[in-house]
Amino acid sequence: MTSAGPPQTQPVASPDPAALLRSRNYLVLLILGAIAGLPVAAVAYFFLKAVAELQHYLFQTLPGELGYQNAPTWWPLPLLALSGLLVALSIRYLPGTSGHKPAEGFKASGPVPPIELPGIFAAAFATLALGAVLGPEAPLIAIGSGLGVLAVQLVKRDAPQMAHVVIGVAGSFAAIATLLGSPIVGAFLLMEVAGLGGALLGVVLVPGLLAAGIGSLIFIGLNSWTGYGTFSLAVPDIPTFGTPTGAEFLWAIAIGLAAAVLGAVIRRLALTLQPIVERRALLLTPLVGLGVAGLAIAFAEGSGRASSEVLFSGQDALPSLIDQAGTWTVGALVLLVVCKGLAYALSLSGFRGASAR
């Protein structure tokens, strides 16, 4: 007589995307995605405005209030040290990891639990407003996802996991609707971040694009109502360019190859530093901030230009760099690339944000 053995567990079948698209529940998801896009886009808009206002106050207004005609050379040092301390405290004591680790790049991580939103907000504000060399894309994607999941939980606490995924991604679409200049550009980014493919991608993409369209309208409407601006990372007023020559094609290829190598070196350095910083985050993250400030000061002293060319994510500095390209020397440009690249690697290793420009 042989033993029957343990009962075999049948795998749980994943939902059929085609059947889901034809169901009434999907129509409910579309409506919920559209509704969630309204507050998510508004939160994203005022988040970006708050970051911009805090940057302006700390680096331009506050020095004058303290009696300085201009911000002294050492000004970035205490602000970047404070930034590192606040980010480390957020990661250590608030739920979650205060957002994704930027050195590891965008990757699929599932819907963001709403309980992690305070840590994401805190670390993002401390990173972006106090001068670290990172951008707002990743925090906005996480904030949009967390707010989307929160909307699902408020409507129906026992909603299936698929609803959390779909509305979470829709919230991310709404949050970066115009950040990259177009909802379509943001959609391509989020299709990669969501980590979905095949027919299931269509399930997420339709409510996501709907939320992105609504988010874009909210951004445009709030800009018209408040006059604050569009908060897009797209570079405005790019000069017109005529017919390229053969030499310009070769230069473009060479610059592209050099940028790829430089980007790989920066990321490798950041990944090397990341575990070291994480082991003693409360001590080392402020020191990393001081390193970023030191590089900005070194650039300012060596080039005679503002330290803000190295600090922050860079989109505000790009238009003037393009318009005044003829006033930059080769040495100043090389120094900018070196200092910005090293500051970027340091910021990637311990702060919270996304790719700098």
Side-chain angles (χ1 to χ4, degrees):
M1 182 175 179
T2 60
S3 172
Q8 298 296 314
T9 303
Q10 295 296 324
V12 178
S14 59
D16 178 16
L20 182 59
L21 285 169
R22 294 191 295 267
S23 68
R24 283 186 56 189
N25 289 336
Y26 190 68
L27 179 60
V28 174
L29 286 178
L30 285 175
I31 296 173
L32 184 56
I35 294 173
L38 296 170
V40 168
V43 169
Y45 183 89
F46 287 107
F47 169 82
L48 292 172
K49 174 60 177 176
V51 168
E53 286 294 316
L54 193 54
Q55 284 180 355
H56 184 273
Y57 176 77
L58 292 174
F59 285 87
Q60 298 185 38
T61 304
L62 183 58
E65 292 181 351
L66 295 178
Y68 297 102
Q69 185 174 1
N70 296 300
T73 304
W74 53 262
W75 190 257
L77 290 170
L79 294 180
L80 267 298
L82 176 61
S83 175
L85 178 61
L86 293 176
V87 170
L89 289 172
S90 173
I91 295 171
R92 172 70 66 86
Y93 294 109
L94 293 179
T97 59
S98 296
H100 91 301
K101 299 175 183 180
E104 298 176 3
F106 287 120
K107 58 183 179 181
S109 57
V112 174
I115 195 174
E116 296 185 11
L117 286 173
I120 295 170
F121 272 107
F125 267 114
T127 294
L128 302 175
L130 293 172
V133 189
L134 292 172
E137 301 95 315
L140 282 178
I141 290 172
I143 289 169
S145 176
L147 291 176
V149 173
L150 179 61
V152 173
Q153 293 180 354
L154 291 175
V155 172
K156 189 175 182 182
R157 297 193 63 85
D158 60 343
Q161 181 64 18
M162 179 57 67
H164 291 84
V165 172
V166 172
I167 304 304
V169 173
S172 295
F173 271 70
I176 65 166
T178 61
L179 189 66
L180 301 178
S182 165
I184 302 300
V185 178
F188 279 104
L189 172 64
L190 284 167
M191 281 189 286
E192 179 181 353
V193 175
L196 300 172
L200 194 56
L201 177 60
V203 173
V204 175
L205 190 59
V206 175
L209 288 175
L210 177 60
I214 292 173
S216 180
L217 291 176
I218 294 297
F219 268 64
I220 294 170
L222 287 174
N223 176 39
S224 177
W225 178 46
T226 64
Y228 289 157
T230 58
F231 301 110
S232 172
L233 300 183
V235 181
D237 304 323
I238 296 178
T240 57
F241 188 74
T243 304
T245 64
E248 289 168 338
F249 267 116
L250 293 176
W251 271 111
I253 294 171
I255 291 171
L257 291 173
V261 173
L262 179 61
V265 170
I266 290 172
R267 184 169 184 267
R268 174 53 53 190
L269 177 58
L271 288 172
T272 301
L273 293 173
Q274 179 178 281
I276 300 172
V277 175
E278 287 178 341
R279 282 197 291 268
R280 303 187 67 183
L282 290 177
L283 172 64
L284 295 182
T285 313
L287 289 180
V288 168
L290 289 174
V292 173
L295 288 163
I297 293 170
F299 169 78
E301 291 295 301
S303 67
R305 295 181 178 270
S307 60
S308 59
E309 299 285 352
V310 170
L311 300 176
F312 311 114
S313 66
Q315 72 270 13
D316 292 332
L318 271 178
S320 63
L321 178 62
I322 294 173
D323 291 339
Q324 303 171 17
T327 67
W328 282 76
T329 64
V330 174
L333 284 173
V334 171
L335 186 61
L336 176 62
V337 170
V338 172
C339 291
K340 186 87 171 181
L342 291 174
Y344 184 21
L346 289 175
S347 299
L348 286 169
S349 70
F351 288 84
R352 290 294 185 263
S355 59
R357 276 142 297 281

